[in-house]
Each structure stands twice: as structure tokens, then as C-alpha cells.
Amino acid sequence: MAAEKNEIKLIGAWNSPFVMRPRIALNMKGVAYEMLQETDGKKSDLLLKSNPVYKKIPVLIHNGNPISESMIIVEYIDETWSSDRASILPCDSYDRAIARFWTAYVDDKIPNTNRKLRTLTNESEDTEVEAEKLIVALQSLEEAFEKCSKGKNFFGGDDIGYLDIAFGSHLAWIKAVEKIVEIKFLDKKKIPSLVAWSERFCAHGAVKEVMPEADKLVEFIKARLSASSAK
């Protein structure tokens, strides 16, 4: 049941795939919120107060109550505004379990590999190793999509669902990494279903306004590496 009072703030950063997750969920539910941008390399007093355990973004503050961890926030949004538009989590208990399994797989395989690749070049010896890890993960997700989507447009079926949000939030960084290491990961010949899904996901009304441009992410990481090397 939707809360009677709604003062909603989201502590985050424009370039974080994890912050994008609750933003997409809030957009899907049609919920207005205030975005509180953190400064890169710093942690605000509000963030430290709101998430004293992990001290990380995102944090959703709903009527003064903080909720941390991106997919926990997505589930909270889905349950709190359960009567507002379609459910994000699958209604079937087995489908929910499968969505959560593949979400855990995404978080295990994609973020760390992406972080390593965006600090490398196509000439680095480590690039091939890390690139292969990402390629294998994407191939597994191609197979997962074919099973989970059941022939429909998204992992969640006719519309974006839990796993779509979990994985789709990393697409901009995957595209940025493609530019940095000059390797095509979202290859139509190798993972055609996943590439077609990614295009639909990025064009979705709940996504396109919060999805960062790959070129801006490349500029961001180059500036960060330059600043780090200057120290």
C-alpha cells in the first residue's frame, strides 16, 4: 500500500550503475523524488549518517527513513508502491527466485570486471583476461534471457522487471569500456538476443533519461586516472 506521505530523496551519483537501479524503479512507478548528488571522491555527512555501515551509495530516504543497497531499494520501491503500475518483481515465486539468482550472478561477474577493464588499455596483458571474463558472463546472460523472457521483449516479460534493472544498469559502463579497450562486447553476431534487448531497455521511458552517455563516462574515467597519476 502506498504511503500517505511521500518525501523521497535519493543519495547517489550520475555515473553509478547502482544508483541507476532505484532511479529506474521510481520512474517505473511514477514516483517523484529529489536526487542528491554526491561529489566524486567524497562522502557527505548525510550519506555517512544514512548508511553508517557500508558508507556507500545509493541510499533512499523515504519520510526520513534510510534504505541502503540498490536491489533492496528496488524491492522496497516495488512493495511500497505496489498498487502503482506493474510489479517489478515477478509474481510467480519460482520466477522471483530465478530473477534473484541471475541478479546475484550479474553483481558477481559484471561490476568488478568492468572496473578493472576501464583502467586498462587494449595493449595491456591483463585486458585479454578480463575481457574474456566479461564475454563469458554476457554469453551466460544471453542464455538466461532466452529462458527468462519466454519469447518476450524483456527478462521480466512484456515490460522491464527486476533482472532487467539489475543488468541494464551496467550497459552504459559496458559501452564505455568498449571504447576504452577497443573491444566489442555487445556483439550482435555473438549475443543477438541480448543486444536487441539492450536497445529496447535503453529506449524505455523509465531508463533513457537516467542512462549516462558512454562518451561522458569515458571522459569521467580519463579525468579520474589523470588526477590520480598527478598525485
Side-chain angles (χ1 to χ4, degrees):
M1 182 176 179
E4 293 181 4
K5 177 187 174 185
N6 282 320
E7 183 180 283
I8 305 157
K9 298 178 181 180
L10 181 65
I11 306 174
W14 68 272
N15 58 344
S16 168
F18 300 102
V19 173
M20 193 185 308
R21 291 170 169 181
R23 296 188 76 184
I24 293 170
L26 288 165
N27 287 346
M28 288 188 70
K29 296 291 186 177
V31 177
Y33 63 97
E34 180 184 358
M35 181 70 188
L36 303 177
Q37 289 279 354
E38 287 286 296
T39 302
D40 184 50
K42 298 181 181 179
K43 298 180 188 292
S44 68
D45 291 340
L46 180 60
L47 172 61
L48 296 175
K49 177 183 176 182
S50 302
N51 187 3
V53 177
Y54 289 115
K55 303 177 177 63
K56 292 181 179 180
I57 55 174
V59 178
L60 182 77
I61 304 175
H62 184 199
N63 296 334
N65 298 314
I67 305 100
S68 304
E69 295 297 296
S70 63
M71 295 312 292
I72 292 175
I73 297 172
V74 169
E75 291 197 35
Y76 176 85
I77 292 167
D78 197 30
E79 293 171 1
T80 302
W81 291 277
S82 58
S83 62
D84 298 53
R85 308 185 187 183
S87 175
I88 293 172
L89 272 161
C91 295
D92 179 79
S93 58
Y94 178 76
D95 289 342
R96 281 199 302 276
I98 295 301
R100 284 173 173 143
F101 170 84
W102 282 109
T103 291
Y105 179 86
V106 165
D107 284 348
D108 181 51
K109 303 297 182 182
I110 304 296
N112 287 337
T113 303
N114 256 355
R115 275 192 285 267
K116 290 176 183 177
L117 281 169
R118 68 197 193 198
T119 63
L120 301 173
T121 67
N122 60 342
E123 298 175 355
S124 171
E125 294 181 0
D126 294 331
T127 299
E128 185 176 349
V129 174
E130 297 302 326
E132 183 60 25
K133 291 179 183 178
L134 183 54
I135 289 167
V136 170
L138 292 174
Q139 288 171 338
S140 295
L141 287 162
E142 168 86 357
E143 295 174 10
F145 177 79
E146 291 173 358
K147 294 178 181 178
C148 294
S149 66
K150 300 174 183 176
K152 296 183 179 179
N153 285 337
F154 298 98
F155 283 98
D158 291 319
D159 201 357
I160 285 175
Y162 189 78
L163 180 52
D164 295 280
I165 293 174
F167 176 41
S169 62
H170 292 288
L171 287 173
W173 271 112
I174 292 174
K175 293 176 182 178
V177 166
E178 286 182 331
K179 293 174 179 288
I180 293 169
V181 299
E182 300 178 3
I183 298 173
K184 189 68 175 175
F185 294 110
L186 296 170
D187 190 332
K188 289 183 179 180
K189 294 181 180 179
K190 296 179 179 178
I191 48 172
S193 296
L194 210 58
V195 171
W197 161 82
S198 71
E199 292 171 353
R200 290 190 295 270
F201 180 84
C202 291
H204 194 284
V207 176
K208 57 186 179 182
E209 292 184 2
V210 299
M211 178 72 71
E213 295 177 11
D215 287 339
K216 288 186 177 180
L217 293 176
V218 173
E219 290 174 8
F220 168 80
I221 199 63
K222 284 183 178 179
R224 173 182 274 190
L225 290 173
S226 177
S228 178
S229 63
K231 291 181 180 180

